[in-house]
Amino acid sequence: MDATYTRRWREDVSACLARLLPGFEVRFGYPPGRHTIGGPAGEEELASLANVCPPGDLLSWYRQVREVSLPDVGNGVFIHDPGLVARREVTAVRGRCAADVVVFASDGGGTLFAMEAVSGSPVYRLPAGEVVAGVYRSDDQRFAVVAEDLAGFLDRQRDAVELFVATGAAVDL
């Protein structure tokens, strides 16, 4: 994942927010929350993250964007800050799928998004479910691969933000 892709993603989502937020309260009947697309993660954060993520797409993303918080877009869109990612409350998925994972994002409804800590890993949707000793059980029918890789996931997120701004319709990934 290169800086050009990340910059374009940030610009696209920021442009959507610039259209959404000015009339948000009139359109939806409540004031918007705080929407942020953070700058680069700090060196200490990147170092702690490097302990759980070898060099790859996720670490490259965090070198450019520390976190994303879009609480009013659909059910919410959150790409977690490196400190939360490094805590690794969920470390593995077992059941229909078996993988060691890093949870890096969530929505406002309890769904987590995770990927293996290698470049090119698919992104998994982990609906609210059982986690025992850091292991998520993937037997739930809603468990799925939602993107082939991190860029595919980010593209889907950007598209969901654009659709929400245009129509008010939430998209579940």
Side-chain angles (χ1 to χ4, degrees):
M1 175 162 302
D2 65 18
T4 301
Y5 172 87
T6 305
R7 185 181 68 251
R8 188 175 59 246
W9 187 92
R10 177 195 299 271
E11 289 168 356
D12 291 348
V13 173
S14 294
C16 286
L17 293 175
R19 292 190 314 272
L20 174 68
L21 297 178
F24 186 90
E25 189 167 1
V26 170
R27 184 175 178 191
F28 294 100
Y30 59 93
R34 185 169 176 255
H35 294 77
T36 60
I37 302 173
E43 290 303 317
E44 282 184 34
E45 292 175 311
L46 290 170
S48 71
L49 193 57
N51 291 328
V52 297
C53 290
D57 291 340
L58 197 55
L59 207 50
S60 294
W61 167 262
Y62 282 114
R63 283 192 181 96
Q64 304 296 317
V65 178
R66 182 181 181 273
E67 68 181 320
V68 175
S69 179
L70 309 175
D72 298 308
V73 173
N75 215 19
V77 174
F78 306 96
I79 299 177
H80 303 161
D81 70 73
L84 184 57
V85 174
R87 278 196 224 66
R88 297 198 71 203
E89 293 177 19
V90 176
T91 58
V93 173
R94 299 290 184 265
R96 292 186 325 160
C97 174
D100 293 334
V101 297
V102 175
V103 172
F104 68 94
S106 62
D107 68 12
T111 298
L112 302 174
F113 298 94
M115 60 189 297
E116 297 173 51
V118 296
S119 287
S121 166
V123 175
Y124 305 103
R125 176 182 57 225
L126 286 59
E130 178 184 22
V131 177
V132 177
V135 177
Y136 174 88
R137 298 299 308 172
S138 65
D139 300 322
D140 189 310
Q141 293 301 313
R142 297 169 299 160
F143 173 88
V145 171
V146 295
E148 291 183 19
D149 56 18
L150 182 59
F153 174 80
L154 293 168
D155 289 346
R156 290 191 66 191
Q157 287 288 4
R158 183 199 56 233
D159 294 347
V161 171
E162 289 173 351
L163 181 65
F164 182 78
V165 170
T167 68
V171 176
D172 288 331
L173 293 186

